[in-house]
Amino acid sequence: MKPLGKILRRDLWHLRGQVLAAALVVCCGVTAQVSMHSAYLSLQATQASYYDSYRFADVFASLKRAPEGLADEIRALPGVAQVQTRVVAEVTLDVPGLNEPATGRLVSIPEQQSAMINDFYLRRGRYIEAVHPDEVLLSEVFAQANHLDVGDRIGAILNGRWRELTVVGIALSPEYVYEVGQGMLFPDNKRFGVLWMGREALASAYNMQGAFNDVSLTLAPQGFNKGAEEAEVIASLDRLLLRYGGLSAYPRRDQLSTRFLNDELGEIEVSATYIPAIFLAVAVFLIYIVLSRLVVMQRTQIGLLKAFGYSNFSVGMHYLKFALATVLLGLLPGLLLGLYLGGQVTNLYRDYFHFPVLALVVSPAVLFWATLVNLLAACAGAIAAARRVTALVPAEAMRPEAPANFRAGILERSGVARWMSSSVRMIVRNIVRKPWKALLSVMGIGVAVGLMMVARFMFDAVDHMMMVQFDVVQRDNVTVLFHEPRAAKAVFEIDQLPGVLRAEPFRVVQVRLRHGHRSKQIALTGLASDSELHQIVDSRLRKIALPPDGLLLTKKLGEMLGVATGDTVMLEVLEGNREVREVTVAGLSDEPIGISAYMDAGALARLLREDHLISGAWLRVDPRHEEELYAHLKRMPVVSGVAIRSAMVNSVKEIIDTAFSYVSVIEMLFGAIIIGGMVYNSVRIALSERGNELASLRVLGFTQREVVVLLLGEQALLTICAIPVGLAMGYGMCAALVPIFDRELFRLPLVFSQMTFVYPVIAALISAILSALLVTRRLRHLDLIAVLKTRE
Amino acid sequence: MTHLPPMQPEVHLTDDKKSAEAKLTNPDSVFHVHNVSRIYRMGEVEVHALRDVTVDLLRGEFAVLLGTSGSGKSTLLNILGGLDRPTSGEVFYRDHNLTRADDDGLTRFRREHVGFVFQFYNLIPSLTALENVALVTEIAGHPIDPADALDLVGLGQRRDHFPSQLSGGEQQRVAIARAVAKRPDVLLCDEPTGALDYATGKLVLEVLERVNRELGTITAVITHNAAIAGMADRVIRISSGTITEVLRNEVKIRPSEISW
């Protein structure tokens, strides 16, 4: 081995603690980078191939009812490739072993299996047979959640008639990768599921023979300008479906499951960029400070090597190799850990996103980039430090370094220093002497505190979202939806059910709101102005009175339409006689989930020119009679869907607890490693720089404890400064995330629980204290005698 | 070249245990080193740094421990200062047995009774001259005012300077001021002029002499510079871990008269 190689090996061994700390930070960064990028790629690649292989449609529309012949007209539209018409119906299910009624979406499939748009993957069992109209295929997640399998039976009310459906197969579809019902944010797989049923069987149950109420199509692949073509097809489709009660057609990206999936992909992309970047920056800093110190300690050796004729380059390379070795030490386990964790994250995704196969994609490109970026980081840290090497003149280098330069500064001139004890003065002056290093330390620890805060903030935001949506806005225990609008007196029927304490009717109607060139299809809810079970609130959660006339829109919807209070919008009813009216926006409300529009029930009835029809009811239920109520609701022919708040909330909480805790534990751990690495390295360097000073003090009669205070004081002060800085940075990072999560589906509120501030602070302090203590052990072995003889 | 004042052999202690016993009762004895050996193990080699040394330091004296590099003089100083423990034998400071003290006991001993002056001064770079002195007086029982201590070494004017703004000699004088400011019973100096040029070295020796004269602090200076021996009350010569000779100077010369 060459002499420099030996020196390198010894240096690495000698500084193993600091090398390890820096390597650990690199390891975390690489782990984060590889795992998130791999998970991202896995999800993205799987999505693309799934959509492609199973011919997922490009455009979707639902309508009231159209004759099958219309399909040919749709097929004839320019730009359309394939068309699939279906019958889709939502029904109440009586699932064995489940007390509450569940909601099933029945989707028609041809009696004879053939390749089709929106095809599905049959996991187990067989295809339905035309001779058995009650045979269905069941979505895999719903089956899993309810422990159902091929051969099991499910009760269902199809168009008012009780039917017993037989599960013959378990299937998955690209349409339901994320399987949630309309208006739901998190999946509740126990209570919402998709069932595929023979077209004839389903059509005859709903009097839809020779007709359809759902259409999807694929676009011809030739167009240059796919966006424009798609918009044109959608517009033509809307025109065709207008007469048949068509709701706005929408492109694939607006399809619910796709949107969730794309949103998630967007989120990983953001996290996969900024989290590794933080680690990279910290790693560069750590390598820089370790190397800078090494260069100072080895100035004699550097001088000697240069005197012997080693070039600046070869000596500089020596330190670069040191940095590269440090990074490699973290890189290799980081790559492996990243792949492992990427697999774990992909596993977690399996709970939400359902593909026939979702396996980790091990991409050489991801590994390559992670390696390259981190090696470049090593070079950056090394080059910054190695500049000192080239600056050293051999003769000068071989002389000991002059005593650390301190001069009177602001502290002394202002007289503040006089009021400090000697130890405080030493600590403060050491910080003031190297302000940039201090600043970077503070920023490094701060950003880690921020990272931990972001991890906690996600919990808070979702908690708050749920609280606002389900405690403040939706105050009902159970929501019941009817098949079709019913006379107002239907609510009395519901009111009579066991356990119902209060029943409030509401009317929901699909409308399109237009303002200028912007338009949005939305479910407009008409409710009583004195509603107790549904409250409309402003951003400070104060109740907003429902105006006697005009619309109340949620803020997000207002933004999307570009309207403010007092503006007018065109309201087009997408049902019945399709009234089109100009309506005033009477106010904006604030809800974290979804987008809504409200109107006074009376005003809505006048607008629709109908006599107080209702679409469903919100119920307050006596918990003692819940089960009895559920048993009734399961069998009520008029009911098409039942939403149970507690079940939904619990299901969400379960999801948050499993997925979010996993991620947040890792983020907390990573944050703690950054802090540990920063503090450990800073203290080790302080010990190296000031070991002599501290040993002198021990000789002069200072106790172990007094010397520890001097050593750790500086870092303690920096850590304490870093905490408010970190909390501020964390606040900033969360605030930066809020616009990213400002979506139609949900909006993260910028709210924090106390614990979100407390946890990172505690974790930072514990991590700082533990790593500092690791160094102070070394103080006990300070060589007091050597100090009498050696010169720094 | 060496300018040595006449010396008289006083007593050979190395192999005379009875006289060592007698010394214990010497009313002027402040330190009593009794049959002390110190063996370092360096790998497989045993180094006998001190062999069976017995010696006293007396009240108010200025002692020079003279020896070549590796003679064991530093080891003796370290043991006297409570920085090291003998492998065998005992060390008494007044009626305290330092050999039995634990680390805390030794720290307290150093804190309360010993002033150290290092070859390389070892000032705290982040503290001014005055603050370096105050650092020690803050933890002392009955200290001299730090400013007075700096006046004593002639650096009253430089009190607000940081070590990097002081010359080597000035730094060493600050170190002396720091060492004496807590009114130690003994001032232990390890090659105090070793890193200084001739003139500055003499200036430092003058300060040491003045401190010894004015404050009556026992001063033990270890050096390999035989010329310094002339200013001592007693000269203790060490060679190969044993005390070869203890001389009492009949006439002490002033540091300004020393030359080397």
Side-chain angles (χ1 to χ4, degrees):
Chain A
M1 189 181 259
K2 285 181 184 168
L4 281 180
K6 278 185 193 160
I7 293 173
L8 177 64
R9 214 180 43 187
R10 281 177 201 148
D11 283 348
L12 286 169
W13 177 246
H14 180 63
L15 294 174
R16 57 192 177 275
Q18 294 167 77
V19 167
L20 208 63
L24 214 54
V25 171
V26 170
C27 179
C28 289
V30 174
T31 302
Q33 196 177 354
V34 170
S35 62
M36 287 191 281
H37 276 288
S38 299
Y40 174 81
L41 280 184
S42 309
L43 211 51
Q44 200 191 32
T46 309
Q47 179 194 30
S49 82
Y50 191 30
Y51 281 9
D52 188 50
S53 313
Y54 290 85
R55 293 169 292 276
F56 189 40
D58 293 314
V59 174
F60 303 81
S62 53
L63 53 146
K64 189 112 179 114
R65 180 199 167 98
E68 191 58 36
L70 190 68
D72 289 332
E73 280 181 59
I74 296 172
R75 212 168 275 124
L77 289 175
V80 174
Q82 285 176 286
V83 174
Q84 181 193 40
T85 61
R86 298 186 293 191
V87 176
V88 176
E90 296 228 336
V91 297
T92 306
L93 296 177
D94 183 6
V95 179
L98 187 68
N99 287 330
E100 313 90 76
T103 301
R105 179 167 300 159
L106 289 174
V107 179
S108 72
I109 50 176
E111 260 77 10
Q112 294 299 325
Q113 191 170 9
S114 63
M116 60 174 186
I117 298 181
N118 300 325
D119 213 342
F120 53 83
Y121 168 77
L122 191 62
R123 176 82 77 191
R124 277 195 303 283
R126 59 166 174 82
Y127 200 75
I128 52 161
E129 284 172 356
V131 287
H132 298 116
D134 287 334
E135 285 184 350
V136 292
L137 304 175
L138 199 57
S139 75
E140 186 177 49
V141 265
F142 185 66
Q144 270 167 0
N146 288 301
H147 310 288
L148 297 173
D149 210 335
V150 173
D152 285 330
R153 285 159 179 278
I154 304 173
I157 299 170
L158 268 68
N159 202 15
R161 271 188 298 274
W162 175 257
R163 293 271 285 270
E164 201 145 74
L165 306 174
T166 307
V167 179
V168 296
I170 303 294
L172 294 98
S173 154
E175 213 176 344
Y176 298 99
V177 171
Y178 193 74
E179 191 167 311
V180 290
Q182 201 65 44
M184 285 168 72
L185 199 51
F186 292 99
D188 182 2
N189 298 126
K190 247 184 144 90
R191 291 165 206 87
F192 177 84
V194 178
L195 300 88
W196 290 270
M197 197 175 177
R199 170 79 176 261
E200 286 307 312
L202 193 52
S204 60
Y206 282 89
N207 302 320
M208 294 281 259
Q209 288 102 331
F212 64 93
N213 67 359
D214 179 282
V215 61
S216 30
L217 55 88
T218 54
L219 296 171
Q222 69 264 13
F224 290 108
N225 192 345
K226 204 175 176 205
E229 213 160 276
E230 179 189 270
E232 227 162 88
V233 169
I234 287 175
S236 324
L237 185 61
D238 276 344
R239 273 193 299 277
L240 273 182
L241 296 180
L242 189 61
R243 283 197 299 139
Y244 305 101
L247 302 178
S248 304
Y250 50 91
R252 184 196 275 180
R253 64 176 175 279
D254 282 344
Q255 195 260 344
L256 196 59
S257 160
T258 307
R259 201 158 59 182
F260 272 105
L261 191 49
N262 288 347
D263 282 356
E264 182 62 33
L265 284 168
E267 279 154 37
I268 319 174
E269 222 181 353
V270 171
S271 315
T273 311
Y274 88 92
I275 292 179
I278 288 173
F279 280 93
L280 218 54
V282 172
V284 171
F285 176 61
L286 288 185
I287 288 169
Y288 168 72
I289 63 171
V290 173
L291 271 182
S292 300
R293 181 60 198 157
L294 190 63
V295 169
V296 169
M297 286 195 301
Q298 297 186 337
R299 44 184 286 130
T300 319
Q301 178 183 306
I302 294 167
L304 207 59
L305 288 170
K306 283 190 172 186
F308 287 165
Y310 282 92
S311 66
N312 268 335
F313 178 76
S314 56
V315 177
M317 276 305 286
H318 169 68
Y319 291 97
L320 179 61
K321 280 183 195 157
F322 183 95
L324 290 175
T326 305
V327 164
L328 281 175
L329 193 65
L331 184 70
L332 296 177
L335 291 176
L336 293 177
L337 203 62
L339 288 179
Y340 168 76
L341 218 60
Q344 293 298 109
V345 173
T346 311
N347 272 345
L348 271 181
Y349 279 132
R350 269 190 217 138
D351 291 344
Y352 307 96
F353 300 114
H354 311 290
F355 297 98
V357 180
L358 177 58
L360 183 72
V361 174
V362 179
S363 155
V366 167
L367 301 181
F368 171 78
W369 281 113
T371 304
L372 184 71
V373 163
N374 280 278
L375 290 180
L376 285 179
C379 294
I383 287 166
R387 277 183 321 179
R388 296 174 183 217
V389 174
T390 47
L392 275 178
V393 179
E396 188 198 326
M398 278 148 64
R399 249 181 271 134
E401 200 175 22
N405 210 350
F406 284 87
R407 300 201 174 276
I410 182 86
L411 285 177
E412 290 69 31
R413 283 195 291 273
S414 65
V416 175
R418 244 180 296 148
W419 301 102
M420 299 174 170
S421 75
S422 294
S423 10
V424 174
R425 252 186 301 223
M426 288 166 73
I427 291 165
V428 171
R429 282 189 190 143
N430 272 304
I431 292 175
V432 172
R433 185 165 159 260
K434 292 182 177 171
W436 283 108
K437 192 176 149 192
L439 188 70
L440 287 173
S441 288
V442 167
M443 299 296 279
I445 296 171
V447 85
V449 169
L451 195 65
M452 293 197 276
M453 221 175 116
V454 172
R456 294 281 324 170
F457 160 70
M458 289 305 204
F459 280 102
D460 291 349
V462 174
D463 256 7
H464 188 262
M465 239 160 61
M466 299 292 291
M467 186 277 287
V468 172
Q469 198 69 28
F470 294 110
D471 286 342
V472 179
V473 178
Q474 292 171 240
R475 295 163 168 238
D476 58 315
N477 307 122
V478 174
T479 305
V480 175
L481 273 171
F482 299 139
H483 270 294
E484 44 191 12
R486 298 177 64 78
K489 64 175 192 290
V491 77
F492 298 118
E493 205 180 317
I494 299 287
D495 208 9
Q496 296 307 309
L497 291 174
V500 175
L501 301 175
R502 183 181 172 88
E504 288 182 3
F506 60 85
R507 175 79 171 102
V508 177
V509 59
Q510 289 292 325
V511 299
R512 189 183 288 124
L513 300 178
R514 283 186 201 282
H515 180 252
H517 64 282
R518 305 188 201 194
S519 84
K520 188 72 203 163
Q521 183 189 322
I522 179 108
L524 170 60
T525 305
L527 67 165
S529 56
D530 62 346
S531 171
E532 275 180 26
L533 300 183
H534 198 102
Q535 280 193 1
I536 302 162
V537 294
D538 64 12
S539 59
R540 291 155 79 181
L541 305 185
R542 287 172 309 199
K543 189 179 173 180
I544 299 178
L546 200 59
D549 234 334
L551 282 170
L552 207 58
L553 307 181
T554 49
K555 218 170 72 192
K556 182 70 189 173
L557 179 57
E559 269 169 38
M560 292 168 78
L561 290 170
V563 296
T565 305
D567 290 351
T568 52
V569 292
M570 290 304 291
L571 186 153
E572 179 190 355
V573 180
L574 300 176
E575 286 177 13
N577 51 2
R578 296 208 167 219
E579 296 283 343
V580 178
R581 290 284 180 78
E582 200 164 70
V583 187
T584 311
V585 176
L588 296 174
S589 72
D590 211 333
E591 287 174 18
I593 297 178
I595 50 172
S596 321
Y598 298 105
M599 221 174 174
D600 177 74
L604 182 59
R606 284 195 296 279
L607 183 98
L608 296 171
R609 297 174 196 275
E610 54 182 38
D611 187 21
H612 273 278
L613 295 183
I614 64 174
S615 310
W618 295 307
L619 310 185
R620 180 177 292 151
V621 173
D622 181 349
R624 286 168 300 181
H625 299 290
E626 263 174 1
E627 293 190 14
E628 220 176 316
L629 172 68
Y630 297 154
H632 274 87
L633 287 174
K634 280 178 184 176
R635 302 263 176 167
M636 278 181 75
V638 293
V639 171
S640 76
V642 178
I644 292 140
R645 193 186 72 164
S646 60
M648 199 149 61
V649 171
N650 287 339
S651 140
V652 173
K653 286 205 168 125
E654 209 181 295
I655 286 165
I656 293 171
D657 282 349
T658 53
F660 280 33
S661 344
Y662 190 77
V663 173
S664 93
V665 161
I666 286 173
E667 280 186 308
M668 292 288 263
L669 189 70
F670 279 16
I673 285 174
I674 289 188
I675 293 170
M678 296 281 301
V679 171
Y680 179 81
N681 259 330
S682 299
V683 177
R684 274 303 298 275
I685 280 161
L687 179 61
S688 152
E689 283 174 350
R690 296 167 56 200
N692 233 21
E693 181 179 319
L694 299 176
S696 311
L697 291 173
R698 287 281 288 128
V699 172
L700 294 179
F702 279 68
T703 59
Q704 183 80 22
R705 181 190 292 246
E706 285 161 340
V707 169
V708 166
V709 168
L710 284 176
L711 177 67
L712 300 187
E714 182 181 337
Q715 205 50 47
L717 194 61
L718 290 178
T719 306
I720 286 165
C721 289
I723 282 172
V725 170
L727 293 178
M729 287 170 91
Y731 186 91
M733 284 155 83
C734 296
L737 282 177
V738 165
I740 296 175
F741 286 91
D742 182 29
R743 304 234 177 83
E744 189 183 325
L745 293 170
F746 66 96
R747 290 158 295 281
L748 280 191
L750 191 59
V751 290
F752 300 92
S753 68
Q754 281 175 349
M755 283 298 126
T756 297
F757 296 101
V758 174
Y759 269 118
V761 172
I762 290 176
L765 290 178
I766 289 176
S767 177
I769 288 167
L770 286 183
S771 43
L773 288 182
L774 219 56
V775 183
T776 54
R777 282 186 323 168
R778 288 166 176 271
L779 267 184
R780 244 171 268 147
H781 307 300
L782 270 186
D783 190 348
L784 301 189
I785 291 166
V787 145
L788 299 170
K789 285 292 169 199
T790 52
R791 175 168 192 170
E792 170 75 353
Chain B
M1 186 178 137
T2 40
H3 176 95
L4 272 180
M7 289 184 182
Q8 285 182 354
E10 193 194 48
V11 64
H12 285 271
L13 292 159
T14 42
D15 48 2
D16 188 350
K17 287 180 184 159
K18 275 180 191 165
S19 82
E21 300 277 323
K23 280 285 170 193
L24 200 59
T25 57
N26 182 341
D28 282 341
S29 174
V30 178
F31 276 95
H32 176 55
V33 176
H34 186 70
N35 286 352
V36 160
S37 294
R38 181 68 174 95
I39 302 167
Y40 295 107
R41 247 170 269 281
M42 305 182 79
E44 292 176 6
V45 188
E46 282 195 348
V47 178
H48 289 258
L50 289 177
R51 300 166 193 264
D52 227 7
V53 166
T54 297
V55 72
D56 282 17
L57 286 183
L58 309 177
R59 174 173 303 145
E61 76 170 335
F62 192 114
V64 167
L65 281 75
L66 199 59
T68 53
S69 164
S71 59
K73 59 186 192 307
S74 291
T75 307
L76 182 57
L77 189 89
N78 294 340
I79 289 174
L80 285 172
L83 293 172
D84 197 3
R85 287 197 182 79
T87 313
S88 66
E90 290 183 309
V91 181
F92 291 93
Y93 165 74
R94 297 188 197 277
D95 48 358
H96 302 295
N97 188 339
L98 294 184
T99 12
R100 297 221 183 112
D102 58 7
D103 278 347
D104 287 345
L106 287 181
T107 301
R108 213 174 320 118
F109 165 67
R110 293 199 300 271
R111 189 177 182 125
E112 289 167 6
H113 303 292
V114 187
F116 276 97
V117 175
F118 308 99
Q119 183 176 2
F120 296 111
Y121 343 122
N122 292 30
L123 296 179
I124 306 302
S126 56
L127 296 179
T128 62
L130 187 73
E131 289 163 356
N132 260 286
V133 179
L135 183 66
V136 172
T137 58
E138 276 174 18
I139 61 165
H142 308 285
I144 303 174
D145 183 81
D148 293 344
L150 280 179
D151 287 338
L152 188 69
V153 299
L155 283 176
Q157 299 301 311
R158 314 273 285 166
R159 48 192 272 178
D160 290 329
H161 287 65
F162 285 93
S164 58
Q165 298 166 316
L166 296 171
S167 72
E170 286 171 332
Q171 288 188 53
Q172 191 61 298
R173 278 145 72 196
V174 173
I176 294 170
R178 176 176 70 177
V180 300
K182 65 177 175 189
R183 297 185 200 274
D185 295 296
V186 60
L187 188 59
L188 300 176
C189 313
D190 192 347
E191 300 277 10
T193 61
L196 300 172
D197 61 50
Y198 180 76
T200 322
K202 278 172 60 160
L203 203 62
V204 165
L205 289 176
E206 269 172 26
V207 170
L208 285 176
E209 190 269 340
R210 183 174 171 200
V211 165
N212 174 252
R213 182 161 37 83
E214 289 183 11
L215 301 178
T217 314
I218 303 175
T219 305
V221 173
I222 66 168
T223 181
H224 63 278
N225 187 345
I228 294 172
M231 63 181 284
D233 290 308
R234 289 196 304 153
V235 181
I236 301 164
R237 276 182 186 276
I238 305 181
S239 175
S240 305
T242 54
I243 291 177
T244 52
E245 158 173 73
V246 177
L247 296 170
R248 175 174 291 282
N249 281 332
E250 290 302 307
V251 181
K252 288 205 284 182
I253 59 168
R254 290 214 300 276
S256 57
E257 295 167 321
I258 298 174
S259 63
W260 64 85

